[in-house]
Amino acid sequence: MSKEMMVRRQFVYCPYCATALEEREVYRQRRPVCPACGFVHFQDPKVAVIAFVTHKERVLLVQRAIDPGKGQWALPGGYMDADEMPEAALQRELLEEVNLAIQIDRLLTIFPIVTAPGRGQGIVLAYQATPADAKATKLTCDDDVSAADWFTADRVPANLAFESTHVLLAHWREQLN
């Protein structure tokens, strides 16, 4: 199934009684509604988390092994699971991707996830972090990462994957000057 089809995919039948859903005006928006039991399908946004991890005036970047952005560099992170809080999801993602335990310092900002012009699909929570153990900064790539490294401001790769990575790196460079 293409990424575009997945974005537009919605329930066709009620998950409770299997009746075909109908589009109706509910809470000032057109939504799929079950005419038999009243179930309303709310399309929930995706929530992703990323870490701006710094250590000795270097920033951690990962090279993506999958789309979107396959082969490009980005800040490490990923999607939250339904039962996770953002900080726990971020710590899990860093362990999965580069086997690095982190100390989360603070929330930096929130970015929209936009899959097509005018179609927001969720949010990205960006956190400032540092390695939990300053001596344990060796990286082991796994999950959806093909490479990872620590970069100084003047050695950041040119092929960056996401707007959030561009924005946060530009802000970091400004602070260093």
Side-chain angles (χ1 to χ4, degrees):
M1 180 180 305
S2 75
K3 186 168 60 171
E4 183 176 74
M5 285 177 64
M6 288 179 72
V7 167
R8 294 184 182 171
R9 188 175 176 187
Q10 293 186 13
F11 287 128
V12 176
Y13 298 97
C14 177
Y16 297 105
C17 70
T19 302
L21 298 178
E22 301 173 352
E23 288 282 324
R24 292 187 184 168
E25 184 87 14
V26 178
Y27 304 113
R28 290 179 245 157
Q29 263 190 310
R30 304 276 308 157
R31 302 177 196 277
V33 176
C34 178
C37 73
F39 166 80
V40 179
H41 174 65
F42 294 92
Q43 190 161 353
D44 295 328
K46 291 296 229 172
V47 179
V49 289
I50 57 174
F52 196 90
V53 184
T54 54
H55 177 66
K56 295 185 179 178
E57 295 191 12
R58 294 176 187 260
V59 65
L60 174 61
L61 295 175
V62 297
Q63 189 173 40
R64 295 188 49 80
I66 62 170
D67 279 323
K70 184 176 180 177
Q72 296 178 309
W73 292 86
L75 296 168
Y79 288 108
M80 287 177 48
D81 290 335
D83 62 345
E84 289 181 304
M85 291 301 290
E87 293 84 358
L90 189 57
Q91 289 170 331
R92 174 187 51 78
E93 285 288 344
L94 270 283
L95 286 171
E96 289 175 0
E97 292 183 351
V98 294
N99 196 33
L100 181 68
I102 58 168
Q103 170 65 46
I104 298 172
D105 300 321
R106 65 186 177 99
L107 177 67
L108 291 172
T109 192
I110 301 171
F111 293 94
I113 297 174
V114 179
T115 56
R119 289 184 53 96
Q121 294 298 313
I123 58 172
V124 178
L125 306 174
Y127 288 89
Q128 173 70 48
T130 54
D133 180 351
K135 295 178 185 173
T137 58
K138 184 179 179 208
L139 308 170
T140 306
C141 299
D142 202 359
D143 196 34
D144 55 0
V145 169
S146 59
D149 208 346
W150 297 97
F151 293 92
T152 59
D154 60 340
R155 300 273 187 209
V156 169
N159 59 334
L160 299 175
F162 304 113
E163 183 67 18
S164 56
T165 300
H166 284 277
V167 169
L168 292 171
L169 287 171
H171 182 70
W172 176 60
R173 286 180 179 136
E174 287 173 12
Q175 287 181 327
L176 291 175
N177 291 332

